């Protein structure tokens, strides 16, 4: 193809893709949780597991978790004070009861205002959504843990958690 046309086509393809993602985000509703874009959070909280979307937990949960990183589910995930502060700010600002409300709202249903749940996988709504997942599925070698979202939600890193 003529060299001039190629960038134009690439541009159009990119437009098509972003329009598609946009419409999926709109249609996604309950399944779309904006993925972590904040570089420090992505690096430090995405090294052992999926960098869980901030909107999946309320602000109080993130505050509590970030204050106890040395005892993080049996691991020491502690960071220097500056990094801890920056990540805490990002998670809290985008929590499911703050900036990320329009996404996390449904997942946080049933969580009282004075609670600070430390697991997404124990939220009443999460448990309900996964009630029909057969026990044998959780035990599969490539799953291993309920927190291993990406084993079943192939697009978890892109923020999509629909059935697939
Ligand atoms: C050194 C490894 C490590 C690092 C780094 C780490 N985590 Fe974790 N995290 C774990 C382990 C282990 C679990 C428990 C996973 C399981 O139950 O399978 C966990 C669980 C979690 C859960 C609960 C998942 C559930 O069951 O719903 C959240 C939320 C979480 N981490 C957030 C974070 C955040 C935020 C950061 C960054 C500040 C972080 N993690 C960094 C090891 C790590
Ligand atoms: C063993 C596979 C498996 C794992 C691991 C898993 N899920 Fe799911 N998840 C499913 C299935 C299957 C459904 C659809 C359930 C249904 O509709 O009956 C689902 C549904 C959901 C929904 C509801 C989507 C909707 O349709 O509204 C959300 C949100 C979700 N999962 C988030 C997560 C998160 C976050 C994690 C990790 C912390 C996770 N899941 C781990 C299998 C899994």
């Amino acid at each position: 193809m003529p060299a001039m046309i190629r960038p134009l086509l690439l541009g159009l393809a990119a437009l098509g893709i972003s329009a598609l993602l946009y419409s999926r985000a709109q249609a996604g509703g309950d399944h779309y949780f904006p993925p972590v874009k904040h570089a420090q959070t992505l690096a430090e909280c995405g090294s052992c597991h999926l960098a869980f979307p901030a909107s999946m937990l309320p602000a109080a949960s993130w505050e509590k978790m970030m204050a106890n990183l040395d005892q993080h589910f049996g691991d020491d995930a502690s960071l220097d004070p500056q990094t801890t502060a920056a990540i805490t700010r990002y998670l809290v600002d985008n929590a499911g009861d703050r900036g990320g409300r329009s996404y996390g709202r449904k997942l946080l249903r049933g969580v009282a205002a004075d609670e600070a749940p430390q697991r997404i996988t124990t939220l009443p709504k999460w448990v309900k959504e996964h009630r029909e997942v057969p026990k044998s599925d959780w035990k599969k070698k490539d799953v291993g843990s309920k927190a291993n979202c990406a084993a079943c939600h192939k697009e978890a890193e892109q923020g999509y958690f629909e059935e697939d």
Side-chain angles (χ1 to χ4, degrees):
M1 89 184 54
M4 265 174 63
I5 291 179
R6 195 178 271 169
L8 178 68
L9 286 178
L10 284 175
L12 283 175
L15 255 179
I17 288 166
S18 58
L20 182 72
L21 286 177
Y22 178 73
S23 63
R24 283 193 56 196
Q26 297 280 300
D30 299 3
H31 340 276
Y32 181 68
F33 297 82
V36 171
K37 290 273 162 62
H38 183 246
Q40 282 168 300
T41 308
L42 198 55
E44 304 296 349
C45 306
S47 55
C48 296
H49 47 63
L50 174 78
F52 300 112
S55 61
M56 287 193 166
L57 286 174
S61 295
W62 294 124
E63 273 163 356
K64 184 174 175 189
M65 188 178 298
M66 293 304 291
N68 296 288
L69 280 183
D70 57 331
Q71 290 164 41
H72 183 77
F73 303 93
D75 274 359
D76 182 351
S78 50
L79 298 162
D80 66 74
Q82 286 85 352
T83 310
T84 305
I87 292 176
T88 306
R89 201 174 315 123
Y90 167 77
L91 291 172
V92 165
D93 285 352
N94 295 283
D97 55 350
R98 298 279 175 92
R101 176 179 264 127
S102 54
Y103 304 102
R105 196 165 46 93
K106 294 210 182 76
L107 196 56
L108 299 187
R109 200 173 279 163
V111 178
D114 61 350
E115 283 182 280
Q118 294 297 286
R119 282 190 182 270
I120 298 156
T121 52
T122 57
L123 298 173
K125 179 79 173 148
W126 191 96
V127 172
K128 199 173 160 217
E129 291 284 2
H130 293 84
R131 211 167 31 195
E132 280 164 30
V133 177
K135 279 209 176 64
S136 55
D137 276 13
W138 300 116
K139 296 202 179 104
K140 281 183 187 156
K141 252 202 229 90
D142 61 345
V143 177
S145 164
K146 288 183 176 172
N148 189 10
C149 321
C152 304
H153 300 284
K154 299 299 175 210
E155 294 180 289
E157 280 185 31
Q158 285 75 50
Y160 296 103
F161 291 84
E162 57 235 34
E163 193 170 0
D164 50 18

